[in-house]
Amino acid sequence: NTGVFSAGDSFWILHYGSGYAIQVIQGSGMSILLGGNGGAAGTRNLASNCLAFVHFKSSTECVITGVGVS
C-alpha cells in the first residue's frame, strides 16, 4: 500500500517455498518495476527458493530484482 514505505526504504524477501511460486501484488497507487529490464510496472512472481531485493524510489514506486523474480 502507498504511504507505508518512503523513498530510500528497502527490504529483502527470501522465499523458501519448495516447488511453488508466490506473487508480490501491485496494489492501487503503487508501481512495481522489474529491475534491469525497463518493462511495464505490475505484479511480480517469485520462483521457489528466490531471494529478492525491493527498493522504493518513492512512496508510490519501487523496484524489485533478484534471481527468480519475473
Side-chain angles (χ1 to χ4, degrees), residues 2-17:
T2 60
V4 175
F5 295 99
S6 301
D9 289 348
S10 58
F11 62 90
W12 290 92
I13 301 171
L14 177 57
H15 172 44
Y16 276 128

Side-chain angles (χ1 to χ4, degrees), residues 24-27 30-34 39-45 64 70:
V24 177
I25 298 173
Q26 177 177 281
M30 177 60 69
S31 295
I32 302 176
L33 304 170
L34 185 58
T43 295
R44 301 297 172 197
N45 293 309
I64 187 169
S70 59

